[in-house]
Amino acid sequence: MGGALALTLAALAYPSMLGVSTVATAQTRIIANTQWGPLTEQDRDFVVKVRAAGLWEYPLGQIGLQKGSSAGVKEASKHLIDGHAALDASCRKIAPMLNITIPNVASPQQEGFVTQLKGETGKAFDTDFANILRMTHGSIFNAIAKIRSTTKNSLIRSLADQANDTVLDHMTVMEKTGLVDFDQTIFQQTTPPKLPSDNLTPPAPDPGQPQVVLTPPPNATSTPLAIPGEPASPSTREDPAPAEPSPTPTVG
């Protein structure tokens, strides 16, 4: 892996895909008592950050399908689109149930990853794509376990289960590209640089702004959460996405 990637990781690297730094220091103060159990500040942060994850990784999956020069990167891109469309649907489903406001754009740091990869092509794109995404997923793996093991809210537990399965899948497909430099990625996971909190925080949506929807692919294999007691329907998914991916999520 080249020096350019090492510099990028040092400058941008510590991932907030699921709010690692925020979750690690979030208060366990209960902010609401719901029919699914008490909701804490770190529970609320978890939902926000899962939503933010899809807002940068889903577009990167679309970009990877267009720009990836290897079969492994294209396959990994399909997994990003599929997994995050389902997670996004789950977040949009439970957020109003728990009175949580979710963002429409990712954090500045996450947007920085997208901007960098948009400017790359060929082997450089493939290598940086695999390493950045393996690093971000590896870094939040333990954070998901913490939420799953400590939350008293059943909706948050279900979302953590889904996020755990999705992140493990995405880590695995990045590794299968054969492009991951484990020395670099593990170093970045264990010795993250300090970044301003506003770099790690997705902004709240403007009042009245249409909600961004991450549309699942026509051949989707991942499914959103099924909430106990909700009416059964033929499909819990959005309408299929167009055959040709676009670089940005749709708004619905």
Side-chain angles (χ1 to χ4, degrees), residues 114-223:
V114 178
T115 298
Q116 178 202 346
L117 288 167
K118 279 182 176 179
E120 297 181 347
T121 58
K123 184 61 176 294
F125 173 85
D126 287 1
T127 300
D128 287 0
F129 177 94
N131 281 276
I132 289 172
L133 287 162
R134 172 56 178 82
M135 178 191 64
T136 56
H137 287 83
S139 294
I140 52 77
F141 208 38
N142 289 337
I144 298 172
K146 177 182 177 182
I147 287 289
R148 178 60 180 83
S149 64
T150 60
T151 185
K152 299 178 182 179
N153 188 285
S154 62
L155 293 182
I156 301 298
R157 282 197 295 273
S158 295
L159 182 63
D161 286 341
Q162 183 184 0
N164 183 77
D165 291 344
T166 302
V167 168
L168 179 57
D169 173 68
H170 292 177
M171 287 172 61
T172 302
V173 292
M174 295 306 157
E175 293 164 356
K176 286 181 177 179
T177 65
L179 299 171
V180 174
D181 182 329
F182 285 95
D183 289 338
Q184 277 285 351
T185 56
I186 293 173
F187 175 78
Q188 292 295 336
Q189 288 170 206
T190 55
T191 57
K194 298 291 185 180
L195 295 177
S197 60
D198 58 356
N199 243 8
L200 304 174
T201 305
D206 295 330
Q209 184 180 39
Q211 190 174 67
V212 171
V213 174
L214 305 184
T215 309
N219 57 345
T221 60
S222 300
T223 56

Side-chain angles (χ1 to χ4, degrees), residues 38-131:
L39 185 76
T40 65
E41 289 187 357
Q42 65 184 9
D43 292 338
R44 176 178 59 190
D45 181 73
F46 183 68
V47 177
V48 169
K49 299 301 185 180
V50 172
R51 163 71 167 177
L55 293 173
W56 75 281
E57 291 189 26
Y58 180 101
L60 273 187
Q62 294 178 316
I63 294 168
L65 285 180
Q66 296 172 336
K67 297 177 66 173
S69 60
S70 70
V73 166
K74 289 185 180 294
E75 181 64 23
S77 297
K78 293 177 184 178
H79 283 243
L80 289 177
I81 294 169
D82 184 75
H84 281 293
L87 274 177
D88 181 71
S90 297
C91 288
R92 288 185 288 105
K93 180 184 292 187
I94 72 172
M97 298 168 72
L98 298 173
N99 196 29
I100 296 173
T101 300
I102 55 176
N104 266 338
V105 296
S107 72
Q109 181 205 37
Q110 293 165 335
E111 291 296 328
F113 290 135
V114 178
T115 298
Q116 178 202 346
L117 288 167
K118 279 182 176 179
E120 297 181 347
T121 58
K123 184 61 176 294
F125 173 85
D126 287 1
T127 300
D128 287 0
F129 177 94
N131 281 276

Side-chain angles (χ1 to χ4, degrees), residues 4-44:
L5 176 59
L7 289 174
T8 297
L9 297 182
L12 294 175
Y14 193 45
S16 59
M17 174 186 163
L18 296 179
V20 171
S21 62
T22 305
V23 168
T25 59
Q27 296 177 346
T28 57
R29 181 177 67 88
I30 295 173
I31 58 174
N33 285 296
T34 77
Q35 68 186 84
W36 301 279
L39 185 76
T40 65
E41 289 187 357
Q42 65 184 9
D43 292 338
R44 176 178 59 190

